[in-house]
C-alpha cells in the first residue's frame, strides 16, 4: 500500500471522529436545566421549558445550555404594567435592548452564562431571544400569588 495514501485515509477518519464529538451539550437538549442551578435552559433555538410557572417573589434563572448566543428580552407589551422591565444586558426598555443587540450583540448570553430576574408582580410575562425570534425562540413566565 502506498504510504501517503494510507496516511491520508487515517487523517480523514480521525477528523471525522473528532467532528462527531464537538457538540457535547446536545446530549442535554431535552432537559437542559437538570439541576437546581437554573430553571429555564436554552437550546439552539428554544427556551426549555417554553412556559414556566413561578410564584411572586421567586427568582427565575435562565441558563444558556447551547453553543449559540441568546438574549432574554422582555416584550414591553407582554408584561404587567407595574412590573419592572428585564433584559439581558440590563437594558431598561425593549427598544434599547434591541438597539444594543443590533449594534454590538449587547445583552448576548454566551454558553453556560446565566441571567436571573425576581418576579414581584403576578401576571404573564412574554419574552424573546432577539437573534432567534425569527425561529420562534419565545418564552413565557406565568407568575401567581
Ligand atoms: Cu436565541
Amino acid at each position: 500500500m502506498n504510504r501517503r495514501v494510507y496516511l491520508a485515509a487515517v487523517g480523514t477518519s480521525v477528523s471525522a471522529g473528532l467532528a462527531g464529538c464537538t457538540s457535547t451539550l446536545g446530549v442535554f437538549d431535552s432537559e437542559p436545566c437538570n439541576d437546581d442551578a437554573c430553571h429555564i435552559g436554552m437550546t439552539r433555538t428554544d427556551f426549555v421549558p417554553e412556559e414556566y410557572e413561578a410564584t411572586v417573589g421567586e427568582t427565575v434563572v435562565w441558563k444558556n445550555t447551547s453553543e449559540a448566543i441568546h438574549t432574554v428580552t422582555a416584550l414591553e407589551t407582554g408584561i404587567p404594567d407595574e412590573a419592572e422591565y428585564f433584559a439581558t444586558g440590563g437594558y431598561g426598555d425593549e427598544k434599547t435592548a434591541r438597539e444594543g443587540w443590533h449594534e454590538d450583540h449587547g445583552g448576548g448570553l454566551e454558553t453556560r452564562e446565566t441571567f436571573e430576574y425576581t418576579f414581584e408582580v403576578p401576571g404573564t410575562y412574554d419574552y424573546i431571544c432577539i437573534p432567534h425570534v425569527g425561529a420562534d425562540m419565545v418564552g413565557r413566565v406565568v407568575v401567581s400569588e
Side-chain angles (χ1 to χ4, degrees):
M1 189 176 180
N2 179 300
R3 180 169 165 78
R4 182 171 295 170
V5 170
Y6 171 73
L7 288 173
V10 169
T12 303
S13 71
V14 167
S15 55
L18 288 175
C21 291
T22 54
S23 187
T24 51
L25 286 168
V27 174
F28 301 105
D29 276 359
S30 60
E31 196 184 340
C33 281
N34 51 5
D35 57 39
D36 292 338
C38 67
H39 307 100
I40 302 172
M42 300 171 215
T43 63
R44 184 66 186 78
T45 53
D46 286 296
F47 291 108
V48 180
E50 191 174 312
E51 182 167 324
Y52 181 83
E53 291 184 10
T55 51
V56 169
E58 183 175 340
T59 299
V60 174
V61 179
W62 285 261
K63 183 175 183 179
N64 185 352
T65 47
S66 79
E67 293 170 2
I69 296 179
H70 300 294
T71 74
V72 175
T73 308
L75 295 174
E76 240 156 31
T77 56
I79 66 175
D81 289 342
E82 318 82 61
E84 187 187 345
Y85 184 79
F86 65 91
T88 47
Y91 297 108
D93 60 77
E94 185 184 334
K95 181 172 179 287
T96 313
R98 287 179 182 276
E99 286 170 356
W101 170 261
H102 290 296
E103 275 164 24
D104 59 358
H105 289 186
L109 217 54
E110 309 256 357
T111 301
R112 294 189 184 84
E113 285 186 339
T114 59
F115 171 71
E116 62 179 53
Y117 177 81
T118 301
F119 290 87
E120 304 285 8
V121 178
T124 300
Y125 295 70
D126 288 323
Y127 64 92
I128 63 168
C129 166
I130 297 173
H132 302 119
V133 68
D136 208 25
M137 188 166 179
V138 299
R140 168 175 287 180
V141 177
V142 179
V143 181
S144 57
E145 298 274 8

